[in-house]
Amino acid sequence: MLTSLQLQNFRNYKKASFNFDKSVIIIGPNTSGKSNLIEAIFLLSSGKSFRAERDPEMVRFGSEMGRVRGRADDIDLEVVVTVGEVGGVRSQFKRYFVNGVAKRRQDFVGNLPAVLFSPQDLEIVVGSPGLRRDFLDSVLEQTDREYRIALISYTKTLRQRNALLELVKKGLRRDDRQFEYWNKLIITNGQILTAKREDFIDFLNKAKKEVLSFKLEYDKSVISEERLSQYREAETASGITLVGPHRDDFIVYFNKGHDLRSFGSRGQQRLGVLQLKLLELEYVRARVENEPILLLDDVFSELDEDHIIHILEKVGGQQTIITTTHEEFIPARIKSKMEIIELKANN
Ligand SMILES: Nc1ncnc2c1ncn2[C@@H]1O[C@H](COP(=O)(O)OP(=O)(O)OP(=O)(O)O)[C@@H](O)[C@H]1O
Ligand SMILES: [Mg+2]
């Protein structure tokens, strides 16, 4: 359970401090900082923002450094975000601390498992492939340390390999021995990602679905020695790595095999996403040691009461943090068990 949260120069918060002793409802008008609060908690959980394209966006306008600190049971978690420069000195964008000790991201994540529901989730179904890969990553990174390590290594290697390919494209003679090293790394880590994504998608397909029935097809971009040599010329011409999990996607089929993205009504797409997120919750719960906390950012404008109660019942007694603009949106039987925190307009 998250018992305290402190923000410093984080988004619209100059300095703020919250204490939680159970589940909470955070009520505040638009722009009062509700989603920013959820973003801060999610950052402590996953080491990532769920919406910033670049980490420095989380730092308060005009500041160099933002800080989020929280206490979960007896663990002190802290993330420091900078704009890349502090007092004129170049600095890392993000640093992680557990009980005051600096950690790498792969060792920071996992201390405060959380599952987030937000209106942006719809993008998993209707958005671009990158958002579906982000979904797979965010679930698997929470639950699997080996996945976190493979992903970090894969991303780094991909960047290096692409930089080299770019040089080849510009006329540098291709030295295959140089590529051998990067190929080996990218294949090893890429295959770990593919296998684990496949397992997760398999879980999703086999799980019981009460909200909307669907079937996922993993459209994977396999990486192997053969595939890389098959694409050798094309890579040289384009200057980028053309195969691998960074090109993965999955298709959601519903209702006798139609693609939910193209043929689902808005309502069906919402239910599909809700179903997907409920299964994520089930998956995370089964795989982490501590029960995940549940973050519901502004979902009352999107979902009806029955579905919200369905989510809350799934999570059982675990801590839940809900934001909303209007207290009236929250069904009375949910509200009675929760603490209420009010945010004022423009913190
Ligand atoms: N880096 C930043 N520095 C300062 N303010 C920021 C920064 N990023 C966002 N904000 C501001 O923080 C305010 C609160 O944003 P937030 O998304 O938390 O609002 P909200 O309460 O969730 O509103 P809504 O009900 O509309 O979703 C906004 O006015 C936004 O412009
Ligand atoms: Mg919001």
Side-chain angles (χ1 to χ4, degrees):
M1 185 168 111
L2 184 71
T3 51
S4 78
L5 183 70
Q6 281 127 38
L7 311 174
Q8 203 186 330
N9 294 325
F10 183 85
R11 294 287 192 183
N12 63 313
Y13 294 94
K14 187 156 194 262
K15 223 172 170 140
S17 177
F18 302 89
N19 290 305
F20 312 117
D21 61 7
K22 52 181 171 183
S23 293
V24 280
I25 299 172
I26 294 161
I27 301 171
N30 298 130
T31 76
S32 58
K34 300 180 298 299
S35 298
N36 293 344
L37 208 62
I38 296 290
E39 184 181 32
I41 298 170
F42 192 77
L43 180 65
L44 291 181
S45 166
S46 69
K48 276 185 185 169
S49 164
F50 70 87
R51 58 181 183 164
E53 213 138 293
R54 296 180 58 254
D55 293 321
E57 290 171 23
M58 291 184 277
V59 179
R60 188 165 184 266
F61 299 145
S63 302
E64 295 176 328
M65 193 196 290
R67 194 186 295 269
V68 178
R69 238 179 116 167
R71 205 166 167 79
D73 297 327
D74 50 358
I75 307 173
D76 213 27
L77 298 170
E78 181 172 351
V79 180
V80 177
V81 189
T82 73
V83 293
E85 211 170 86
V86 178
V89 182
R90 261 186 73 94
S91 159
Q92 275 179 349
F93 286 137
K94 260 187 310 194
R95 275 172 299 151
Y96 307 96
F97 302 88
V98 177
N99 292 327
V101 180
K103 295 280 176 186
R104 289 174 305 175
R105 180 161 172 268
Q106 60 259 45
D107 301 312
F108 177 82
V109 179
N111 284 296
L112 178 66
V115 175
L116 166 74
F117 289 72
S118 86
Q120 267 131 302
D121 294 337
L122 191 63
E123 294 291 317
I124 302 171
V125 167
V126 303
S128 60
L131 296 166
R132 281 181 288 285
R133 290 192 292 271
D134 287 348
F135 167 71
L136 298 175
D137 287 342
S138 75
V139 177
L140 290 163
E141 279 195 293
Q142 280 239 25
T143 52
D144 189 337
R145 183 168 184 274
E146 201 194 345
Y147 190 92
R148 296 201 278 280
I149 294 171
L151 183 61
I152 289 167
S153 186
Y154 183 85
T155 310
K156 248 189 222 163
T157 311
L158 182 65
R159 207 178 308 131
Q160 309 269 24
R161 195 174 181 277
N162 283 347
L164 194 58
L165 281 169
E166 182 64 28
L167 290 176
V168 173
K169 183 185 164 190
K170 285 186 178 143
L172 181 82
R173 201 180 64 81
R174 184 170 173 137
D175 176 357
D176 279 322
R177 271 165 317 174
Q178 207 175 6
F179 272 91
E180 235 168 74
Y181 172 77
W182 296 118
N183 287 0
K184 210 182 225 163
L185 262 182
I186 208 168
I187 291 168
T188 311
N189 288 297
Q191 289 180 348
I192 293 173
L193 300 182
T194 307
K196 288 179 186 281
R197 285 178 181 181
E198 190 138 50
D199 281 350
F200 176 49
I201 288 174
D202 217 41
F203 165 88
L204 293 171
N205 280 333
K206 288 189 179 129
K208 194 167 158 236
K209 299 170 191 73
E210 291 164 344
V211 177
L212 186 90
S213 165
F214 61 67
K215 196 164 170 50
L216 305 185
E217 185 186 300
Y218 183 18
D219 178 12
K220 67 183 163 194
S221 178
V222 175
I223 191 157
S224 63
E225 199 77 66
E226 302 80 72
R227 287 261 289 168
L228 283 178
S229 48
Q230 194 184 329
Y231 280 84
R232 192 179 177 282
E233 303 310 318
E235 273 191 342
T236 308
S238 63
I240 52 168
T241 304
L242 294 171
V243 295
H246 64 290
R247 301 216 137 195
D248 276 355
D249 196 1
F250 63 81
I251 306 157
V252 187
Y253 290 111
F254 79 116
N255 197 14
K256 297 182 192 127
H258 297 296
D259 181 350
L260 185 59
R261 185 180 177 200
S262 317
F263 299 108
S265 71
R266 204 67 168 172
Q268 282 168 323
Q269 289 168 344
R270 279 198 185 140
L271 293 181
V273 170
L274 174 63
Q275 182 64 74
L276 201 58
K277 296 295 289 187
L278 285 168
L279 294 178
E280 168 188 344
L281 179 59
E282 199 174 308
Y283 184 84
V284 173
R285 285 185 85 186
R287 275 160 189 79
V288 298
E289 235 170 85
N290 301 314
E291 283 279 297
I293 62 170
L294 187 60
L295 306 172
L296 303 181
D297 187 23
D298 207 15
V299 293
F300 294 92
S301 46
E302 301 276 313
L303 297 172
D304 57 39
E305 183 171 332
D306 286 349
H307 284 121
I308 289 164
I309 288 175
H310 189 82
I311 301 175
L312 294 173
E313 275 167 359
K314 279 264 162 188
V315 81
Q318 205 34 47
Q319 185 181 29
T320 304
I321 298 176
I322 299 179
T323 74
T324 184
T325 46
H326 294 87
E327 199 168 341
E328 309 83 78
F329 288 167
I330 319 255
R333 59 176 167 140
I334 298 175
K335 202 159 61 180
S336 63
K337 284 182 250 153
M338 299 178 82
E339 176 185 0
I340 291 184
I341 294 180
E342 272 185 67
L343 295 180
K344 285 191 220 70
N346 249 324
N347 237 274

